[in-house]
Amino acid sequence: QVQLVESGGDSVQPGGSLRLSCAASRYIVSSYCLGWARQAPGKEREGVAGIDSDGTTDYREYVKGRFTISKDKTDNTLVLQMNSLKPEDSAMYYCAAGPCSETRYWGPLSAKGYDSWGQGTQVTVSS
């Protein structure tokens, strides 16, 4: 069973930055397609960034230029660097992993391609 453990969520002011991390096994980080999704109260979970096993990345339009997804193979973590945060970025953020055959079929920003999820980490952006 794939285990994903997120950390790094916090409360920040608008314009601030946060770095989310997701711990996983070396095999998962190297071989699976990975992504970050978020869910705000009353809304559906939505993928915001994805990274293929070949390193190709994709972002939801509203986070492009502000968020960066990356893999740190030295400590087997998936990272989401979030800059210029806005109040509308407030949500529970989830790390996800899935076979690349599925994420490529559904698209890296679709939750349908991922079959393993972390427990989530809360991000609140407020003045």
Side-chain angles (χ1 to χ4, degrees):
Q1 185 175 357
V2 175
Q3 287 193 321
L4 304 170
V5 181
E6 302 98 332
S7 62
D10 205 345
S11 294
V12 297
Q13 292 188 342
S17 298
L18 281 176
R19 185 177 188 268
L20 304 184
S21 295
C22 174
S25 71
R26 177 182 298 180
Y27 176 75
I28 295 301
V29 172
S30 298
S31 305
Y32 273 50
C33 282
L34 306 171
W36 286 95
R38 70 188 189 189
Q39 187 168 21
K43 295 187 177 181
E44 291 188 358
R45 188 174 300 187
E46 184 173 64
V48 296
I51 185 166
D52 196 282
S53 59
D54 65 6
T56 303
T57 58
D58 199 3
Y59 298 91
R60 194 68 68 176
E61 192 63 34
Y62 52 72
V63 304
K64 281 183 179 178
R66 300 189 298 123
F67 290 12
T68 302
I69 188 172
S70 62
K71 294 190 287 187
D72 187 338
K73 294 183 179 180
T74 60
D75 59 3
N76 302 319
T77 58
L78 176 69
V79 175
L80 185 68
Q81 178 65 43
M82 305 188 296
N83 299 326
S84 302
L85 283 162
K86 304 175 181 180
E88 51 264 43
D89 294 320
S90 297
M92 185 72 78
Y93 282 73
Y94 298 90
C95 171
C100 290
S101 56
E102 293 297 310
T103 61
R104 291 168 184 167
Y105 176 81
W106 293 105
L109 301 180
S110 171
K112 293 180 179 180
Y114 299 97
D115 58 9
S116 298
W117 296 85
Q119 81 289 350
T121 186
Q122 180 68 41
V123 172
T124 302
V125 185
S126 174
S127 56

